Amino acid sequence: MIHYKTKEEIELIRKSALLLSAALAEVAKALKPGMTTLDVDAVADKFIVENGAVPSFKNYKGFPNACCISVNEAVVHGIPNKHVLKDGDILTVDVGVYMNGFHADSAYTFAIGNVPENVRRLMAATKASLYKGIEKAIIGNRIGDISYAIQEYTEKERGYGVVRELVGHGLGRHLHEDPQVPNYGKRGSGPVIKEGLVIAIEPMINLRTKDVEYLEDGWTVVTRDRSPSVHFEHTVAVGKGKPDILSSFTEIEKAEKNNPELNTNY
């Protein structure tokens, strides 16, 4: 069942989403080679808690940390650990925030230092595909229109692998709600998009194969051929007129550009 939100509820989700975006901006300021993924997790965790919110992922179905941090070939759900980040790595930081009774969810992929050009092109395409999908989140369209836009831009036009096993989702009082929002599909398919829908749109795009597998920790999903994967995500509300992006990349991108350790040439 899809739970449509009132305008007041959407504003509460926006507050969670903007706090989450600010937490990712703090990560962007701090990132550098030599940090562990546990160090990165601690930056976001501390910021969220100090601002009166709760990290949505922490203890969710047993997940131990505030952030999912996925490095290079890891697609999603990487558990922060003592892995040391180095020049040439890409990492996705996926975070949820729970505040005032509502969740928000967002993810951003960062490039540290000398990341190969083909990986930077993948980053650019994945980020652009997120907005291609968001453009279709309007009243009267169907979820499949979002899915098709993402797949068409990344897989059909550029030959990248679109992950099938993991999808976007509704969210609000619960972290995961209906409907599912795949990153592949047919135009005109799936539930009709109505006013008050709030969804996490999150393309997960691989450099080569679409196929993935789970590591032994039961959480981390990696590309089967171990090629790099990129993931960007926004929390989006459907109102009258254009889609309303509740999370924001503005401060993240500003911090990213001001951090000499990060590569923004993508």
Side-chain angles (χ1 to χ4, degrees), residues 3-264:
H3 298 283
Y4 298 97
K5 278 71 180 179
T6 65
K7 290 179 180 178
E8 292 76 16
E9 289 172 332
I10 288 171
E11 289 310 309
L12 291 174
I13 298 172
R14 191 191 309 276
K15 289 181 180 179
S16 296
L18 291 177
L19 175 57
L20 164 51
S21 301
L24 284 170
E26 290 300 306
V27 168
K29 294 173 187 175
L31 271 174
K32 61 182 179 180
M35 293 182 78
T36 68
T37 54
L38 267 175
D39 294 333
V40 178
D41 179 72
V43 171
D45 193 350
K46 182 173 183 285
F47 184 85
I48 292 166
V49 172
E50 286 182 348
N51 282 276
V54 175
S56 298
F57 299 172
K58 202 166 191 176
N59 301 316
Y60 179 74
K61 296 185 177 180
F63 190 81
N65 295 90
C67 305
C68 297
I69 302 181
S70 306
V71 181
N72 297 331
E73 72 274 11
V75 181
V76 286
H77 302 163
I79 299 175
N81 55 32
K82 294 181 181 179
H83 174 88
V84 177
L85 297 169
K86 64 183 186 303
D87 183 84
D89 282 341
I90 62 168
L91 71 154
T92 298
V93 183
D94 187 0
V95 193
V97 159
Y98 180 72
M99 186 170 65
N100 299 320
F102 289 92
H103 293 273
D105 194 357
S106 184
Y108 200 93
T109 298
F110 299 96
I112 298 178
N114 295 301
V115 172
E117 184 181 353
N118 63 340
V119 178
R120 288 184 275 122
R121 284 199 300 265
L122 173 65
M123 292 176 66
T126 305
K127 196 176 194 181
S129 78
L130 170 60
Y131 292 100
K132 296 284 185 183
I134 290 170
E135 286 174 4
K136 301 300 181 182
I138 57 175
I139 296 169
N141 276 359
R142 291 182 177 268
I143 293 296
D145 296 321
I146 299 172
S147 308
Y148 177 86
I150 293 169
Q151 183 181 19
E152 180 74 12
Y153 188 81
T154 55
E155 186 175 87
K156 295 181 180 176
E157 294 182 12
R158 287 162 177 76
Y160 297 132
V162 177
V163 175
R164 268 48 171 187
E165 290 84 350
L166 302 143
V167 298
H169 52 91
L171 76 168
R173 292 191 183 276
H174 302 281
L175 181 58
H176 292 101
E177 298 180 357
D178 291 333
Q180 291 192 342
V181 186
N183 297 306
Y184 64 97
K186 295 180 180 179
R187 283 182 291 196
S189 65
V192 176
I193 297 171
K194 299 179 182 179
E195 185 175 1
L197 179 69
V198 177
I199 49 178
I201 301 176
E202 48 177 321
M204 290 159 271
I205 312 298
N206 304 338
L207 184 64
R208 291 192 290 270
T209 183
K210 68 180 187 300
D211 298 323
V212 298
E213 60 190 29
Y214 283 80
L215 296 185
E216 290 182 1
D217 63 20
W219 282 99
T220 309
V221 180
V222 298
T223 55
R224 187 164 292 171
D225 65 357
R226 300 304 191 265
S227 62
S229 184
V230 172
H231 176 198
F232 286 97
E233 177 183 14
H234 269 312
T235 295
V236 180
V238 177
K240 293 178 180 176
K242 65 180 183 179
D244 186 1
I245 304 173
L246 304 181
S247 46
S248 173
F249 287 166
T250 302
E251 291 304 314
I252 303 168
E253 290 167 342
K254 181 179 177 182
E256 185 185 31
K257 285 182 171 62
N258 288 333
N259 183 341
E261 305 291 351
L262 298 181
N263 191 330
T264 58

